[in-house]
């Protein structure tokens, strides 16, 4: 059984005790966001991830240093990792909810989305396979949006677990029905094999949908922690 721990937080205030945890590159990214809420979401993701890493590795939070080099372009906006440590992390933010998923080395992807907004038909056609579209076509609008974001977060979670993100076509993967246990049913992309992909829909918070995915053929056990930082 592979364990995966997800920790959630609302956006933290931009206080010195949190800002002090950012290194120079992270400070640069923080400064580059124009809107305060975007700055706070980024800050919260980093503080949450460093707190989780510190707890799991037995370090002081100030001692956790991330390498977030993008695998594509070399800029420091990729997924964070602690070089040499038996730890995989995935950060996601949407609205007023920020989450970090952690495993002891199994590739992991987390995605959260606010689900109270309208899901446009064009977005559904772009993102969902015909089987997924058929499964939600008879629903009323609010339920349809929730079902859509269930699929969307499952898709982003598995894509983030591979490290490729949205470079994998959304239509290349099909999931179990939105109201069934989350499972990757079909994939035409080489990076995602249903036999080696496990995922779970998460509780997150009311008004949000979230999913976490692991690249493994073992069963998974996922916990969610809402303890304030
Ligand atoms: C990663 C990606 C899925 C983010 O999706 P999103 O819904 O906008 O944002 P989320 O809040 O869910 O996730 C953002 C987090 O994903 C992580 N991340 C970045 N690149 C990632 C990747 N390739 N794989 C997995 N996670 C990644 C980061 O930790 C980021 O948070 P941070 O910048 O605060 O540390 C999307 O930006 C993507 O597909 N990027 C990679 C592909 C790409 O465009 N590469 C070219 C860049 S040069």
């Amino acid at each position: 059984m592979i364990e995966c721990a997800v920790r959630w937080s609302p956006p933290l205030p931009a206080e010195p005790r949190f800002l002090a945890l950012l290194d120079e590159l992270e400070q640069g990214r923080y400064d580059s966001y124009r809107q305060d809420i975007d700055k706070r979401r980024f800050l919260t993701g980093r503080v949450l991830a460093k707190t989780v890493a510190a707890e799991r590795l037995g370090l002081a939070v100030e001692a956790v240093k991330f390498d977030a080099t993008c695998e594509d372009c070399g800029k420091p906006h990729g997924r964070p990792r602690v070089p040499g440590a038996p730890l995989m992390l995935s950060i996601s933010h949407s609205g007023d909810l920020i989450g970090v998923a952690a495993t002891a080395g199994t590739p992991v992807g987390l995605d959260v989305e606010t689900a109270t907004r309208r899901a446009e038909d064009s977005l559904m056609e772009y993102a969902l396979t015909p089987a997924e579209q058929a499964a939600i076509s008879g629903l009323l609008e609010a339920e349809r949006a929730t079902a859509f974001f269930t699929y969307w977060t499952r898709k982003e979670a598995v894509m983030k677990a591979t490290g490729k993100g949205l470079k994998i076509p959304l239509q290349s993967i099909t999931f179990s029905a939105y109201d069934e246990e989350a499972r990757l049913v079909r994939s035409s992309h080489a990076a995602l094999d249903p036999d080696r992909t496990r995922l779970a829909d998460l509780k997150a918070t009311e008004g949000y949908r979230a999913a976490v995915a692991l690249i493994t053929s073992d069963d998974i056990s996922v916990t969610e922690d809402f303890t304030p930082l």
Side-chain angles (χ1 to χ4, degrees):
M1 180 79 74
I2 308 275
E3 315 270 336
C4 172
V6 179
R7 180 125 179 218
W8 296 111
S9 174
L12 295 170
E15 289 176 359
R17 66 188 167 123
F18 296 132
L19 290 166
L21 296 176
L22 301 182
D23 69 18
E24 209 176 313
L25 288 172
E26 291 164 337
Q27 184 69 52
R29 288 200 56 206
Y30 176 87
D31 291 341
S32 72
Y33 287 107
R34 291 229 195 120
Q35 307 239 14
D36 277 351
I37 185 64
D38 290 325
K39 289 182 193 281
R40 287 175 59 200
R41 285 191 196 109
F42 173 74
L43 174 67
T44 307
R46 281 308 202 268
V47 173
L48 205 52
K50 289 190 178 184
T51 302
V52 167
E55 282 168 6
R56 296 178 73 104
L57 300 175
L59 297 170
V61 65
E62 300 77 18
V64 176
K65 302 285 174 229
F66 284 152
D67 177 356
T69 308
C70 172
E71 291 161 33
D72 293 315
C73 72
K75 289 198 187 134
H77 60 206
R79 51 182 172 176
R81 55 191 189 86
V82 180
L87 175 70
M88 290 289 253
L89 297 165
S90 183
I91 298 175
S92 187
H93 9 60
S94 184
D96 284 332
L97 191 59
I98 296 98
V100 170
T103 68
T106 305
V108 60
L110 174 70
D111 191 55
V112 59
E113 299 287 340
T114 53
T116 44
R117 53 207 156 115
R118 201 181 127 71
E120 302 293 335
D121 289 347
S122 55
L123 182 61
M124 293 202 223
E125 282 162 24
Y126 162 70
L128 304 186
T129 61
E132 292 162 345
Q133 285 178 40
I136 67 172
S137 64
L139 299 176
L140 296 173
E141 189 168 315
E143 289 169 341
R144 212 151 59 105
T146 305
F148 170 74
F149 286 111
T150 300
Y151 284 129
W152 178 271
T153 52
R154 289 176 182 179
K155 289 189 185 224
E156 271 215 48
V158 298
M159 291 175 179
K160 288 176 78 175
T162 67
K164 294 187 190 302
L166 290 168
K167 280 184 303 177
I168 296 179
L170 288 157
Q171 293 255 0
S172 65
I173 49 177
T174 300
F175 290 88
S176 51
Y178 66 90
D179 54 355
E180 288 174 8
E181 197 172 325
R183 203 162 40 84
L184 178 61
V185 188
R186 256 190 318 279
S187 162
S188 58
H189 197 284
L192 281 166
D193 173 356
D195 290 340
R196 296 200 61 248
T197 308
R198 297 288 176 269
L199 71 156
D201 296 323
L202 300 173
K203 285 198 205 72
T205 299
E206 186 157 356
Y208 292 83
R209 297 302 296 154
V212 68
L214 277 69
I215 306 297
T216 179
S217 50
D218 292 333
D219 287 342
I220 61 169
S221 160
V222 180
T223 55
E224 290 179 73
D225 181 354
F226 296 85
T227 312
L229 280 170

